[in-house]
Amino acid sequence: MVDDKRKYKITEIGEAWRDAKSQVAAKPKEKVGCRAYSVAAVVLLIPIVLLAYCTAPSEEEERAKKEAGFHCLSSYSGALRSLEDAVKEQLRDPDSYEHISTRVTSVQRDGTHGVVMQFRARNGFGGMAVEQAKGRFRNADCDLVEWEMQ
């Protein structure tokens, strides 16, 4: 008789569990709609746009950058493109060229800047050598005036 009561309780619990499980399974899952994605995109884009606007350089910064000669340098590597091209023409293996650094003097009275560029390239023996190229370029149009490789 005790076993019958236990079986009855276990059966009741099992049926209650199945009923609860079927009710949960019967509820449709809520889907995130386009509106939620649109709101999220707008919320994420507003700070990015504000940061871009707030970090824009002023006219004074632009003028100082131009006087320093940085407007002529590559924003990717920091090299003077015209000097890089001239150096690559003189190398035995132009594909081995690797830029290391470029230093620029401030604008001089004649409107030119001095430039010193260090680079790595393959030499005649097959090894990589660090070399330097020096020159001058015009501030107005960034054209190379003269240069030499050391």
Side-chain angles (χ1 to χ4, degrees):
M1 183 154 194
V2 175
D3 287 335
D4 290 337
K5 287 183 181 178
R6 258 195 219 159
K7 284 181 181 177
Y8 183 69
K9 284 184 179 180
I10 291 173
T11 314
E12 279 182 7
I13 293 171
E15 287 176 9
W17 174 253
R18 269 182 288 203
D19 290 343
K21 194 174 174 184
S22 67
Q23 287 177 358
V24 170
K27 274 189 176 178
K29 291 184 180 179
E30 294 181 22
K31 293 185 178 181
V32 179
C34 276
R35 181 178 287 174
Y37 286 122
S38 300
V39 169
V42 168
V43 168
L44 290 174
L45 286 177
I46 288 175
I48 292 171
V49 170
L50 288 175
L51 282 174
Y53 178 75
C54 293
T55 59
S58 66
E59 288 180 26
E60 291 177 10
E61 291 172 338
E62 287 288 333
R63 190 169 10 96
K65 185 177 174 182
K66 188 164 183 166
E67 279 183 23
F70 297 144
H71 68 287
C72 294
L73 302 181
S74 164
S75 60
Y76 175 70
S77 66
L80 182 65
R81 296 280 184 188
S82 55
L83 183 57
E84 264 189 331
D85 294 340
V87 166
K88 285 181 182 180
E89 286 179 9
Q90 298 298 317
L91 294 176
R92 291 182 180 161
D93 184 8
D95 294 334
S96 68
Y97 169 87
E98 295 175 16
H99 177 260
I100 297 174
S101 67
T102 299
R103 292 173 298 195
V104 177
T105 65
S106 58
V107 68
Q108 298 176 5
R109 293 180 195 263
D110 62 351
T112 63
H113 294 274
V115 61
V116 177
M117 182 178 71
Q118 282 191 322
F119 62 95
R120 194 177 293 116
R122 196 165 307 283
N123 62 16
F125 299 108
M128 294 296 276
V130 175
E131 298 184 40
Q132 242 184 17
K134 292 183 179 181
R136 291 182 343 168
F137 66 95
R138 283 193 295 272
N139 186 34
D141 57 3
C142 302
D143 282 344
L144 196 60
V145 176
E146 61 182 6
W147 73 280
E148 64 179 347
M149 200 156 39
Q150 297 180 334

